[in-house]
C-alpha cells in the first residue's frame, strides 16, 4: 500500500502498550504484510475519524513501545486525545485496537501450498 506521505516526514513516537496488544499487533501486521508503522498510522487515522467514543483499552502493565508516524498525523492525534480527555497512551492503544478489529486475519489469505510430490534441487557443484 502506498502511503500519501513521504517516509522522511515521520517522527518517532513512544508510548506504552501491554505485551498482549503489542504481540497481537506484530502478528497481525506480519500476517497481512503491513509494516507496524503503517498499521499504527492507519489505526490513528481511523480513530481520528470515529465520532463515537471507543472502549477503554487496559494499558496496565504496559512497556515502552515506539514507532514512526507522520508528523502531521501525530500533531492532530495529540490534540484529539486532549479534546477527548484521553491520555496519549490510551489513544494509541485504542487506535491499535481499532486497526486490529478492522483488519482481521483470514485463513483464506494464507498462501496455498502446492499438493503432490515436491522436487528438491540441490545446487552442489564441485569444480572439475
Amino acid at each position: 500500500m502506498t502511503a500519501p506521505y513521504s517516509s522522511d516526514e515521520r517522527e518517532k513516537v513512544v508510548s506504552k502498550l501491554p505485551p498482549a496488544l503489542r504481540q497481537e499487533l506484530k502478528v497481525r501486521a506480519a500476517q497481512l504484510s503491513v509494516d507496524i508503522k503503517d498499521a499504527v498510522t492507519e489505526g490513528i487515522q481511523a480513530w481520528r475519524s470515529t465520532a463515537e467514543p471507543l472502549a477503554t483499552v487496559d494499558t496496565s502493565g504496559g512497556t515502552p513501545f515506539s514507532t514512526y508516524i507522520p508528523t502531521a498525523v501525530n500533531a492532530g492525534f495529540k490534540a484529539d486525545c486532549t479534546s477527548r480527555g484521553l491520555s496519549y497512551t490510551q489513544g494509541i492503544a485504542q487506535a491499535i485496537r481499532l486497526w486490529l478489529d478492522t483488519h482481521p486475519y483470514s485463513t483464506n489469505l494464507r498462501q496455498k501450498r502446492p499438493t503432490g510430490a515436491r522436487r528438491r534441487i540441490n545446487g552442489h557443484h564441485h569444480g572439475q
Side-chain angles (χ1 to χ4, degrees):
M1 169 184 268
T2 303
Y5 38 78
S6 67
S7 60
D8 58 352
E9 296 174 5
R10 291 182 180 265
E11 68 180 279
K12 184 176 183 176
V13 295
V14 179
S15 185
K16 290 192 174 204
L17 284 184
L21 185 62
R22 176 196 316 257
Q23 182 66 22
E24 190 176 356
L25 173 62
K26 285 181 179 181
V27 169
R28 186 74 48 79
Q31 290 170 331
L32 299 175
S33 300
V34 174
D35 285 339
I36 289 176
K37 66 184 177 200
D38 293 329
V40 173
T41 299
E42 288 175 21
I44 288 172
Q45 291 169 326
W47 181 91
R48 292 185 70 204
S49 66
T50 301
E52 69 274 356
L54 298 171
T56 300
V57 176
D58 182 5
T59 57
S60 60
T63 56
F65 167 79
S66 64
T67 191
Y68 292 85
I69 61 174
T71 303
V73 171
N74 192 41
F77 179 63
K78 285 181 178 179
D80 288 348
C81 286
T82 300
S83 70
R84 294 184 191 192
L86 296 174
S87 69
Y88 187 74
T89 297
Q90 183 59 218
I92 289 278
Q94 286 183 359
I96 290 170
R97 178 83 265 152
L98 180 60
W99 185 84
L100 289 166
D101 291 347
T102 57
H103 292 81
Y105 180 66
S106 169
T107 55
N108 294 336
L109 296 176
R110 280 193 274 176
Q111 187 176 16
K112 301 284 185 192
R113 292 184 181 233
T115 57
R118 290 189 189 187
R119 292 180 191 227
R120 183 181 296 205
I121 301 172
N122 292 324
H124 297 289
H125 176 68
H126 299 287
Q128 294 181 359

